[in-house]
Amino acid sequence: MDLLRFITAGSVDDGKSTLIGRLLYDSKNILIDQLEALEKSTKNRTDGSVDLALLTDGLRAEREQGITIDVAYRYFTTPKRKFIIADAPGHVQYTRNMITGASHANLIIILIDARQGVVEQTRRHSIIASLLRIPHVVVAINKMDLVDYSQDVYNNILIEYSKVAKQLELKNVSYIPISALNGDNIVEKSDLMGWYEGEPLLEFLEKVSVRSDVNLTDSRFQVQLVIRPQTEQLHDYRGYAGKIISGIYRKGDKVTVLPQQINSTISKLETGGLEVDEVFAPQPAIIHLADDIDISRGDTIVKSDNLPLINNELEVLLCWMDEKPLQPGNKYLLQHNSRLVKSSIKKIEYKLDVNSLQKQSAEGGVKLNEVVKVIIKTASPLVYDSYPKLNANGSAVLIDETSNNTVAAVLFQ
Amino acid sequence: MSSYQLNYLEQLETESIHIFREVAAQFERPALLFSGGKDSITLVHLARKAFSPGAIPFPLVHIDTGHNFPEALQFRDWLAKEVRAELVVRKVEDTILERKLTEPKGKFPSRNWLQTYTLLDTIEEFKFDCCIGGARRDEEKARAKERIFSVRDEFGQWDPKLQRPELWSIYNGRIHKGENVRVFPISNWTELDIWNYIRNEKIDLPSIYFAHERDVIEHEGQLVALSQHVQPAEDDVILKKSVRYRTVGDMTCTAAVESNAATLDEVINEIISTRISERGETRIDDKVTEAAMEDRKKNGYF
């Protein structure tokens, strides 16, 4: 049994909460006392039905104000898979929340209201899916009950969206007509849409292959901390602990330590407290090298025949996430996995309109939820890959040194 | 191994170990908040794996309400020795005396709320800049929204509206002096994931997680064990039942589950077939208001 992380995207009335509620409810992941609490809070409804959307409701502060703060995580399990849903609300700070949720996702469900078809929000969500290279896209055409389960409506939306998908170079796009409210094509195939030949949504989510989402070709490992117990028995023990970001490492591999540019050989590998012959992404590991080299947190160990990029001036896409706009002259800390370096924005090239993908002038500054292409300069060289090539080694965050807040997502180009 | 694929428990373990190592590298004085329950026992196991062959590089801190199950306390002392970790115990009892706090009254007097005082005092005493906790997002609504690295102000307060974005597996633990980060390495685990992991890894648990006989009374449909902290009222009927605990909290606010499950497999089978949530079935204190946890977190609770 494996794990699938996905995010749901939809505009305010597309039925996103109802869909998540339906998945939890129909896969029998809602328990009696949670249902009772739900029934209690919906007892004023005239039709007597349970409002599934309330299952994803969070804090009292939100209920009082009728808003959703931020990203919430939901869990459900079927006999085939464990699922983690990042539930990002469709309100003002949507870009920030969606990028946060999408950064953990193997798959995105884009909800389209069958009555509306592809709207501006759909385009925006798809652009973010494409910027973040989410490997799988499911277009869930919802509220089919309100268009008489019409195949024509479904086909027209499919044709319309495939143009968007083509323009954005989205890969692995699938289309499923559903009614989250009535449960059509969620767990069971709907009798009312006999013309639909594909799988219901849950079955699709259970089957979609996420194996190839992990890069096992380009070996990257960054040191999180150096383990030196310095006890009597382990007097000379010195291991580099970290996570295999991508690829496979084997005992005896010729490796290069970066940015020092020093070559060595893997003399010993450990994972979970056991010595092993090989480790692969995303396993945690401890690497030992044959030579005594000065290595510390944030340094990278790669195979010598497959090197990443090393630069201290690089082109990146920035998604700004702070209320305080980007201050062009300021220094920001850049955190690339476990590596922390000082940086500054050297030049803002353009702003990207997330509704149209048009490049715009960046005059007027960079504010919350805006995406910009910039040139960033770092105090010491970064060891990285481009985000499109290798997400896990191509992403970073910017931190405001004075507030300590995470203020931007960084995608290396 | 040759398939280069991790199953879901291995993926969760991988994430948790990565978080533990980030904590050890980013903070000067971290501590692991140890309750004696299965979640914090799992945390200790994960920490051991993260730093092996080295020792766990931070102390286990237990905020002892004085209402704990004796079996859980014995287990705590045994485990700390077993993993060679430093154990710090601070008692709510002492805080009550020192700060002249008012003890809650009633039949099931919960010191749950008072724990926060002792916790904040302990953080202050040892200058802990990070406290690792075993909270899971599936437990409760407020927890579903909390970050893995959750920054608290100098009063320990959580502000759900001012959380840092948490992207990819990059954790920003930078804080100002006086602030503190709560880190939850098993955020993405569910109750069943924990049980399955305990079974796979053969992790030892206190005996009260398995069926045993106890004198209990019934309170609003829940079974509460009699002890020095819970005395029967005149009209209470004392029953002898075979029970186990699904969570281990205070004797005054944790309900028992009627059960004959004596092995891990039997316990897991019961949990799979149960239709009531963990908190709903076993916590007497969460029913007070719908937003009980949200309120406690905002006030510096774990």
Side-chain angles (χ1 to χ4, degrees):
Chain A
M1 191 160 107
D2 64 354
L3 177 61
L4 179 80
R5 295 175 194 249
F6 67 94
I7 176 170
T8 48
S11 33
V12 182
D13 296 317
D14 284 348
K16 187 164 62 68
S17 298
T18 309
L19 174 66
I20 295 174
R22 175 59 71 186
L23 282 170
L24 299 177
Y25 187 83
D26 285 3
S27 62
K28 308 211 164 31
N29 278 266
I30 304 293
L31 303 169
I32 292 168
D33 55 319
Q34 293 167 328
L35 262 186
E36 276 171 5
L38 186 70
E39 277 158 7
K40 211 168 78 189
S41 49
T42 43
K43 68 172 178 242
N44 297 329
R45 289 163 68 93
T46 45
D47 60 357
S49 65
V50 172
D51 185 355
L52 291 173
L54 285 173
L55 280 173
T56 61
D57 224 23
L59 310 176
R60 184 178 52 197
E62 297 171 277
R63 287 192 295 279
E64 282 166 5
Q65 295 165 37
I67 52 151
T68 322
I69 298 163
D70 220 274
V71 189
Y73 295 89
R74 320 275 169 205
Y75 303 85
F76 72 100
T77 307
T78 70
K80 300 206 172 80
R81 249 189 190 151
K82 174 182 165 93
F83 297 92
I84 301 180
I85 314 175
D87 178 13
H91 298 270
V92 206
Q93 298 188 341
Y94 198 72
T95 305
R96 169 169 94 172
N97 296 332
M98 193 177 152
I99 288 172
T100 303
S103 76
H104 305 119
N106 310 96
L107 179 146
I108 181 169
I109 299 179
I110 295 179
L111 273 161
I112 294 181
D113 184 331
R115 298 167 302 174
Q116 314 272 339
V118 175
V119 295
E120 191 176 302
Q121 297 248 31
T122 318
R123 246 179 258 281
R124 186 195 308 173
H125 300 151
S126 306
I127 286 171
I128 292 173
S130 123
L131 287 177
L132 278 130
R133 311 269 160 171
I134 302 179
H136 307 273
V137 179
V138 175
V139 180
I141 299 162
N142 192 23
K143 308 199 181 181
M144 289 300 291
D145 51 318
L146 300 181
V147 294
D148 294 329
Y149 299 101
S150 152
Q151 186 177 11
D152 286 344
V153 170
Y154 169 80
N155 281 338
N156 288 337
I157 292 174
L158 193 150
I159 291 164
E160 209 185 338
Y161 190 84
S162 39
K163 286 180 203 152
V164 176
K166 197 175 167 204
Q167 188 207 354
L168 296 175
E169 297 172 17
L170 291 175
K171 296 195 179 71
N172 307 321
V173 183
S174 311
Y175 301 85
I176 305 179
I178 62 167
S179 163
L181 192 67
N182 299 337
D184 290 304
N185 282 338
I186 304 292
V187 174
E188 305 280 339
K189 257 187 89 111
S190 169
D191 296 337
L192 300 163
M193 289 179 273
W195 46 264
Y196 170 69
E197 287 170 353
E199 297 148 337
L201 179 61
L202 186 63
E203 196 180 321
F204 181 89
L205 295 176
E206 285 179 329
K207 283 185 179 168
V208 60
S209 169
V210 290
R211 278 196 67 171
S212 54
D213 297 352
V214 178
N215 175 326
L216 291 172
T217 315
D218 308 291
S219 299
R220 307 286 184 255
F221 174 88
Q222 208 192 46
V223 177
Q224 277 187 281
L225 80 161
V226 182
I227 294 193
R228 296 184 62 197
Q230 291 178 304
T231 56
E232 253 173 64
Q233 302 99 313
L234 297 164
H235 192 70
D236 295 319
Y237 185 99
R238 186 183 173 87
Y240 305 106
K243 186 172 75 172
I244 309 295
I245 294 172
S246 52
I248 302 165
Y249 288 82
R250 295 189 180 89
K251 197 174 161 179
D253 276 348
K254 303 237 170 302
V255 292
T256 303
V257 181
L258 298 169
Q260 294 90 322
Q261 308 265 17
I262 300 171
N263 294 326
S264 188
T265 307
I266 294 180
S267 59
K268 183 173 153 187
L269 282 172
E270 293 171 272
T271 185
L274 299 172
E275 199 172 332
V276 290
D277 289 330
E278 64 176 7
V279 285
F280 58 90
Q283 283 186 307
I286 298 179
I287 293 183
H288 298 256
L289 299 181
D291 306 278
D292 211 359
I293 305 167
D294 184 17
I295 297 177
S296 50
R297 174 171 163 87
D299 291 343
T300 301
I301 300 174
V302 300
K303 284 199 205 174
S304 304
D305 60 3
N306 180 335
L307 299 178
L309 302 164
I310 304 178
N311 273 312
N312 61 357
E313 198 172 297
L314 49 160
E315 265 197 340
V316 307
L317 273 183
L318 276 191
C319 312
W320 200 255
M321 300 191 154
D322 202 35
E323 305 282 345
K324 192 163 77 181
L326 185 153
Q327 308 296 311
N330 285 13
K331 302 261 184 300
Y332 290 96
L333 287 168
L334 185 148
Q335 188 176 346
H336 172 226
N337 293 317
S338 300
R339 181 128 194 264
L340 207 57
V341 294
K342 287 204 178 200
S343 71
S344 64
I345 311 298
K346 207 179 154 199
K347 186 179 167 213
I348 304 175
E349 297 197 322
Y350 57 82
K351 198 177 281 185
L352 199 65
D353 183 338
V354 287
N355 295 316
S356 65
L357 218 55
Q358 298 287 317
K359 294 173 186 173
Q360 297 173 334
S361 133
E363 271 172 50
V366 180
K367 297 188 286 292
L368 179 65
N369 291 321
E370 292 185 331
V371 177
V372 284
K373 176 84 163 286
V374 304
I375 295 181
I376 205 164
K377 202 168 155 30
T378 56
S380 51
L382 288 176
V383 177
Y384 68 100
D385 291 274
S386 78
Y387 186 85
K389 181 187 170 193
L390 212 175
N391 302 6
N393 199 38
S395 45
V397 300
L398 287 188
I399 298 166
D400 180 327
E401 260 188 306
T402 57
S403 70
N404 287 332
N405 282 338
T406 301
V407 295
V410 184
L411 307 176
F412 300 136
Q413 296 303 291
Chain B
M1 284 292 265
S2 59
S3 68
Y4 302 116
Q5 207 181 359
L6 299 179
N7 69 35
Y8 80 106
L9 284 175
E10 291 165 333
Q11 289 184 58
L12 292 173
E13 180 192 64
T14 288
E15 180 180 79
S16 303
I17 288 177
H18 179 251
I19 293 163
F20 266 115
R21 289 174 173 173
E22 282 303 293
V23 167
Q26 290 195 31
F27 297 95
E28 277 171 32
R29 299 271 312 149
L32 191 153
L33 300 178
F34 186 79
S35 74
K38 65 182 188 316
D39 295 333
S40 57
I41 292 168
T42 301
L43 278 185
V44 172
H45 182 84
L46 289 163
R48 217 174 164 184
K49 276 196 156 182
F51 304 108
S52 162
I56 299 174
F58 35 74
L60 311 183
V61 172
H62 184 225
I63 304 301
D64 183 351
T65 57
H67 289 170
N68 289 288
F69 289 90
E71 294 90 338
L73 295 181
Q74 280 161 18
F75 187 87
R76 171 198 76 188
D77 295 340
W78 171 81
L79 185 66
K81 247 191 217 135
E82 175 76 14
V83 303
R84 292 172 290 130
E86 185 194 342
L87 176 67
V88 171
V89 178
R90 287 295 175 270
K91 295 183 157 65
V92 174
E93 189 79 44
D94 296 337
T95 316
I96 292 173
L97 293 172
E98 214 170 284
R99 292 182 170 272
K100 306 201 172 12
L101 303 177
T102 307
E103 276 250 39
K105 299 208 169 48
K107 191 170 176 185
F108 307 109
S110 170
R111 284 180 171 172
N112 208 309
W113 181 272
L114 297 180
Q115 276 185 91
T116 306
Y117 285 91
T118 316
L119 174 63
L120 296 180
D121 285 350
T122 311
I123 289 172
E124 176 75 30
E125 180 187 347
F126 291 90
K127 306 277 174 252
F128 291 133
D129 49 0
C130 170
C131 295
I132 303 157
R136 310 187 319 261
R137 284 173 177 154
D138 79 319
E139 278 180 274
E140 203 274 333
K141 281 177 172 183
R143 293 195 156 154
K145 302 236 156 172
E146 192 165 10
R147 299 288 190 261
I148 290 174
F149 273 45
S150 178
V151 180
R152 304 296 180 90
D153 67 14
E154 53 187 316
F155 301 102
Q157 298 180 106
W158 177 57
D159 185 345
K161 288 186 189 166
L162 285 180
Q163 301 200 84
R164 295 175 182 169
E166 209 157 68
L167 296 132
W168 298 288
S169 48
I170 302 174
Y171 299 100
N172 168 11
R174 294 178 64 84
I175 45 170
H176 296 286
K177 214 175 158 53
E179 288 175 343
N180 173 284
V181 181
R182 303 288 165 83
V183 172
F184 304 111
I186 53 168
S187 289
N188 285 325
W189 299 53
T190 61
E191 183 193 13
L192 198 55
D193 297 337
I194 295 282
W195 281 109
N196 282 326
Y197 186 72
I198 286 171
R199 174 164 60 183
N200 285 3
E201 297 282 308
K202 302 187 173 61
I203 300 173
D204 286 315
L205 290 181
S207 57
I208 53 174
Y209 279 109
F210 304 98
H212 56 284
E213 280 216 332
R214 228 174 243 275
D215 286 339
V216 294
I217 52 172
E218 223 178 288
H219 170 73
E220 291 177 7
Q222 292 181 313
L223 300 177
V224 187
L226 294 176
S227 65
Q228 54 169 315
H229 311 294
V230 179
Q231 300 292 335
E234 250 171 50
D235 53 347
D236 276 329
V237 183
I238 301 173
L239 308 160
K240 200 175 245 331
K241 296 230 176 206
S242 174
V243 296
R244 63 176 168 80
Y245 284 88
R246 192 168 161 191
T247 63
V248 170
D250 282 358
M251 299 190 80
T252 54
C253 60
T254 311
V257 182
E258 193 165 358
S259 164
N260 290 312
T263 65
L264 263 180
D265 285 331
E266 286 166 6
V267 170
I268 291 173
N269 280 338
E270 282 192 4
I271 286 166
I272 290 173
S273 56
T274 188
R275 304 298 304 145
I276 299 180
S277 79
E278 184 178 78
R279 284 198 161 259
E281 186 170 53
T282 64
R283 292 294 166 98
I284 300 173
D285 57 329
D286 262 10
K287 292 191 166 171
V288 184
T289 71
E290 215 189 323
M293 177 63 81
E294 186 179 343
D295 290 337
R296 284 209 300 270
K297 270 190 177 294
K298 283 183 180 164
N299 277 295
Y301 190 71
F302 308 108

